Amino acid sequence: MSSGKNAPVSENSRQISLQACLDECMEALDLFLNNHFNESLDKLRPRSKESMYHALIYATVLEMQAMMTFQHDDIVHAGNTMKSAQEVCQRFRKKSGTLRIRGANDDDLSEEQLHAEVCYAECLLHRAALTFLQDENMVSFIKGGIKVRNSYLIYKELHTYIQSDTSFKGLNHKHLEGGVSFGIGAFNLTLSLFPARILKLLEFAGFSGDKEFGISQLNAGATSHTLRSMLCALLLLCFYTFLSFILGRTGEGEVEEAERLLKPFLLRYPRGAIFLFFAGRAEEIKGNIDEAVALFEDGCKAQQVWKQQVWFHHMCYWELMWCFTFKRHWKMAYFYADLLSQESRWSKAMYVYMKAAYLSMLPDAESRPFGDNEVDLFRQVPTYKQKIAGKSPPTEKFAIRKARRYKAINPIRLPVPVLEMMYMWNGFSMISKRPELTEGMMDTLLEAERTLQAAPENEYSVDDTCLILLLKGLCLKNQGQMQAAEDCFRQVYSSEKKLKFDHYLVPNALLETSLLYIDTGRKEQAIKLLQKAKNNYKEYSMESRTQFRVHAALIKLKADTSDQDEITAL
C-alpha cells in the first residue's frame, strides 16, 4: 500500500497492493479459523506497521485474546497494538476526513482512502471496548464514548456513500461493503436491544438502533465471503445463541437462523473450534444436552495448540458446567466451576460461588471433592469482587449478596442456589423441550420445599419460599400446567410486602406471568403486568437483565399490529 497521494506509484498499482494485502489477510483468517493461531499471527505481524488491513486484523486477534483472558497485560498490549493500527490507518486517510460522492471533483476519495475510513472506524470501535475494560475512571469513559460516537458517524457516512448510485466501486468494493455492513449492523443490532428509556437518551445523542436492519446488514456481511465475514457471523451467532436468549425469549427461528449461519462455516472449517462451540450452544438451546456436551468437548480437543488461547477452553467449561447442571450432575458441574475458578480471571467471585452452590446441593453425608467446604467457599466470594468497565458485573454483585448469609457463625443455608442462578441465565427455557430434565428440577424443588417447611421459621423464610415458588412456576409452565404456574407466580407478587431481601422476585414474577399470558393469548393482561414490572420497581438485584427481558417481551407484542398503540404508549 502507498502511504499518500504523492507516492510515485500509479492508481492501478495501489489497487493491486490493496488487493494483495486483503488476500493475505484472508489467508491469515483462514489459518485462524482452522485453529492455526500462531501461523495466523506470523503471517500478519511482518506487515502490521505498513498495511492498514494487516494492522487491523493483527490487533483484532490480540484483542479477542485479551477480552477473554482478562489479563491486564494482555488488555494493555492489545490496546497499544490497536492504537498503532489506528495510526497506520490514519496515514492512508484523506486529510479532511470528509466523504464526498465521486464525480469530476479532484478531491474525491480514492479506493484506498475509502478502505482507510472503514478500517479507522473499526479501530475506534475496538479501542473504545478496550478502554472500557482497562480503566475505571470517568475520563476514560468519556474518551471511550467519544471513540464510539466518532466510529458511528464514520460508518453512517460510509453507508450513505456506498448506497449512492454514483459512488465509486473499486476492485475490492466487496470488502469495503463488508466492513460497512459490520459496523452499521453492529451498531443497529446492539442499540436495538436497549430498553426504551436508555434508547431515547442514545437517540438524543445521535444514535439509532433498528434490529431488523442490523441483522440484515450483518447477514449480508456474513454471507459475502469478505474479510469481515467472520466478525459479522460471530456477532450474529452471539445474538442468536446468547444475547437474545439470556435477555429475551429465544424461539425456534433464532436457533434455526444460527444453524443456517453455521452450516457453511462448519463445512469450510469442520474442526474450527469457534464454530464447534456455537454448534454446541445451538444444541444446548434445543435441549440436546448430550450432543452439546460432545461438541464442547470436541471444541476443546480441536484447540490444543495455542496455549495463550486457553480462554476458548474457559468458554466451553462454562457451557459444560451448565449442561451438567441441567442433568443435575452436581459433582461434574462443580468440576468445571473449579477449573474456571483456578484458570479464568473473568469472574472468580462467580466461579467460587458456583463451586459452593454445587456442593450445597449434595447430601450432607456425601463427601466433598478436594476437601472443599461450601460454607468456607461462600465466605470467600466477596474477596474476589472486581470491576469491569468501572462496575462490578451484575451477576457477581448478586452472588456476593446471596453469599452474605454465610457470614454468620451458624448460617442459614440457601435453599437452591444453583437453580436460582440457572434462572438468571434463562436455563429453565433450555430444558423446556426435555420433560425428564424439567421433572428432575421439579423433584429438586419439591425436596427443597419440604426441607424449608420442616425447618424453624427465620428471617429468610418468606424469601426462600417465594424463590421456590417462582422456580416451581417455571417448571409447571414447561410441563404445560399453565394455571398451576400462574398460581405460583401470583403467590410471589402477592407476598411483596413480606419480602426482606430478594425484592427482585416480584418484578420477575410479574414478567413470568406476562410471558405466560402472551403464550396463552392474553395480551392486554400481559401489557399491564409488563408496564407494572417496568415502572414500579427500581434498584433490585439484576434489574438491567429484567428490564431487558421486559423490553424484549414488549417488542414481541409490538409485532402484533393490534397492540401497536398500547405498546407505543408504554
Side-chain angles (χ1 to χ4, degrees):
M1 289 186 194
S2 74
S3 59
K5 251 183 170 179
N6 299 323
V9 288
S10 68
E11 178 73 16
N12 188 54
S13 67
R14 285 215 293 269
Q15 290 175 339
I16 293 170
S17 178
L18 177 63
Q19 187 169 348
C21 289
L22 283 162
D23 289 344
E24 192 165 359
C25 288
M26 287 286 282
E27 290 172 13
L29 271 184
D30 272 342
L31 288 168
F32 181 83
L33 295 174
N34 271 315
N35 308 322
H36 301 302
F37 303 115
N38 286 327
E39 293 93 327
S40 176
L41 286 177
D42 288 344
K43 183 174 281 288
L44 292 165
R45 190 183 297 109
R47 302 197 65 186
S48 63
K49 301 296 184 184
E50 62 186 62
S51 156
M52 62 176 118
Y53 274 111
H54 285 74
L56 172 63
I57 303 303
Y58 181 66
T60 300
V61 173
L62 292 181
E63 180 194 21
M64 289 174 64
Q65 174 184 325
M67 295 185 92
M68 299 310 299
T69 62
F70 205 58
Q71 294 280 354
H72 178 73
D73 290 346
D74 288 345
I75 294 171
V76 172
H77 179 50
N80 290 336
T81 307
M82 192 63 73
K83 183 180 179 182
S84 296
Q86 184 180 328
E87 290 167 356
V88 172
C89 296
Q90 177 63 36
R91 296 205 303 266
F92 293 91
R93 296 178 77 206
K94 187 176 179 179
K95 298 289 186 194
S96 66
T98 305
L99 298 180
R100 297 183 61 169
I101 302 302
R102 192 175 181 87
N105 196 310
D106 289 336
D107 291 334
D108 293 331
L109 297 179
S110 68
E111 181 183 22
E112 189 175 66
Q113 289 169 331
L114 285 168
H115 281 264
E117 289 295 322
V118 77
C119 289
Y120 187 84
E122 202 166 314
C123 286
L124 282 173
L125 199 55
H126 288 306
R127 286 192 65 201
L130 288 164
T131 298
F132 293 143
L133 276 184
Q134 185 178 343
D135 296 315
E136 299 174 7
N137 61 67
M138 184 57 66
V139 173
S140 294
F141 276 102
I142 293 170
K143 287 180 179 177
I146 292 170
K147 290 184 181 78
V148 170
R149 179 168 169 74
N150 289 343
S151 173
Y152 179 69
L153 292 175
I154 293 171
Y155 278 124
K156 278 187 72 176
E157 288 185 60
L158 282 167
H159 184 256
T160 301
Y161 178 84
I162 65 173
Q163 293 300 307
S164 168
D165 292 336
T166 57
S167 65
F168 170 60
K169 294 179 172 59
L171 295 177
N172 304 286
H173 186 70
K174 68 174 186 177
H175 290 287
L176 179 67
E177 282 190 317
V180 175
S181 291
F182 169 69
I184 290 291
F187 271 110
N188 273 274
L189 178 57
T190 305
L191 291 170
S192 72
L193 299 175
F194 286 102
R197 70 177 189 272
I198 298 175
L199 195 54
K200 285 178 183 176
L201 291 173
L202 292 170
E203 286 172 349
F204 180 76
F207 293 94
S208 61
D210 182 324
K211 176 184 164 186
E212 296 308 320
F213 178 62
I215 288 174
S216 69
Q217 287 289 302
L218 290 169
N219 257 319
T223 56
S224 62
H225 191 55
T226 65
L227 196 62
R228 272 70 169 212
S229 296
M230 178 195 74
L231 286 175
C232 290
L234 290 182
L235 187 51
L236 277 175
L237 288 168
C238 284
F239 171 71
Y240 288 136
T241 65
F242 283 96
L243 287 176
S244 64
F245 189 81
I246 294 167
L247 301 177
R249 304 182 67 227
T250 295
E252 285 292 337
E254 284 159 326
V255 182
E256 289 170 2
E257 283 298 311
E259 292 181 320
R260 178 193 61 78
L261 197 61
L262 272 168
K263 189 174 181 180
F265 285 100
L266 285 169
L267 286 172
R268 188 169 183 180
Y269 309 105
R271 298 299 295 160
I274 291 172
F275 299 113
L276 287 172
F277 171 80
F278 280 108
R281 179 69 186 177
E283 293 297 336
E284 188 182 357
I285 290 172
K286 292 192 295 184
N288 300 328
I289 306 304
D290 291 337
E291 291 84 346
V293 168
L295 284 163
F296 292 136
E297 290 177 343
D298 279 352
C300 285
K301 290 173 187 172
Q303 202 293 95
Q304 294 286 356
V305 179
W306 205 16
K307 290 183 179 179
Q308 295 95 321
Q309 293 307 308
V310 71
W311 57 263
F312 177 80
H313 289 187
H314 298 162
M315 291 165 59
C316 292
Y317 294 164
W318 176 257
E319 295 304 324
L320 285 164
M321 181 188 82
W322 287 115
C323 285
F324 287 110
T325 299
F326 303 147
K327 293 162 72 74
R328 297 193 303 159
H329 293 179
W330 310 129
K331 283 190 175 180
M332 280 300 295
Y334 163 88
F335 170 74
Y336 285 107
D338 183 60
L339 281 175
L340 286 165
S341 73
Q342 293 182 50
E343 298 180 9
S344 175
R345 291 176 55 89
W346 253 105
S347 183
K348 283 190 179 291
M350 169 62 75
Y351 304 142
V352 172
Y353 179 84
M354 293 308 298
K355 281 176 64 176
Y358 289 119
L359 294 183
S360 75
M361 304 298 289
L362 300 175
D364 290 337
E366 191 166 336
S367 62
R368 270 51 178 163
F370 309 124
D372 274 337
N373 175 279
E374 57 262 40
V375 174
D376 291 340
L377 288 172
F378 276 126
R379 288 171 177 167
Q380 291 174 28
V381 172
T383 66
Y384 294 107
K385 183 179 180 180
Q386 65 177 344
K387 289 188 177 182
I388 299 173
K391 292 185 176 181
S392 296
T395 48
E396 196 167 283
K397 287 166 70 175
F398 181 76
I400 290 168
R401 191 181 65 76
K402 297 296 291 189
R404 280 182 191 149
R405 70 160 81 175
Y406 285 86
K407 290 170 68 175
I409 296 173
N410 296 306
I412 297 166
R413 295 176 58 172
L414 291 164
V416 280
V418 170
L419 275 60
E420 184 177 25
M421 195 62 79
M422 177 178 152
Y423 171 66
M424 293 302 176
W425 293 92
N426 217 3
F428 285 86
S429 294
M430 290 275 203
I431 62 173
S432 61
K433 299 180 183 68
R434 295 292 300 275
E436 73 279 12
L437 297 181
T438 293
E439 187 178 345
M441 289 299 167
M442 181 62 93
D443 289 344
T444 296
L445 288 164
L446 291 173
E447 183 181 347
E449 189 175 52
R450 287 191 292 269
T451 301
L452 190 61
Q453 289 170 349
E457 193 168 329
N458 59 69
E459 60 180 332
Y460 298 102
S461 295
V462 175
D463 297 67
D464 290 348
T465 298
C466 286
L467 169 62
I468 291 172
L469 282 168
L470 178 70
L471 302 182
K472 277 178 63 179
L474 294 166
C475 289
L476 289 165
K477 182 183 172 185
N478 282 356
Q479 294 172 332
Q481 300 182 51
M482 298 303 190
Q483 187 56 56
E486 185 180 341
D487 290 343
C488 285
F489 298 145
R490 186 181 291 112
Q491 287 182 65
V492 176
Y493 56 77
S494 295
S495 303
E496 178 178 355
K497 293 182 179 178
K498 299 177 184 177
L499 290 170
K500 293 184 178 179
F501 305 99
D502 294 324
H503 303 290
Y504 82 92
L505 292 169
V506 177
N508 277 276
L510 291 168
L511 168 63
E512 297 301 338
T513 308
S514 71
L515 296 178
L516 186 151
Y517 285 166
I518 292 172
D519 290 343
T520 52
R522 291 175 279 177
K523 294 183 179 179
E524 288 185 13
Q525 291 172 274
I527 291 169
K528 289 176 182 176
L529 289 184
L530 288 168
Q531 187 174 15
K532 187 176 180 180
K534 176 184 175 182
N535 298 325
N536 291 17
Y537 303 93
K538 305 293 178 188
E539 298 182 1
Y540 54 87
S541 294
M542 303 290 285
E543 181 181 354
S544 294
R545 172 197 174 276
T546 305
Q547 290 290 341
F548 271 111
R549 295 192 71 211
V550 168
H551 176 62
L554 289 170
I555 293 299
K556 181 178 175 66
L557 284 168
K558 193 174 181 179
D560 187 332
T561 54
S562 64
D563 295 321
Q564 184 85 30
D565 292 339
E566 286 180 86
I567 294 167
T568 301
L570 297 181

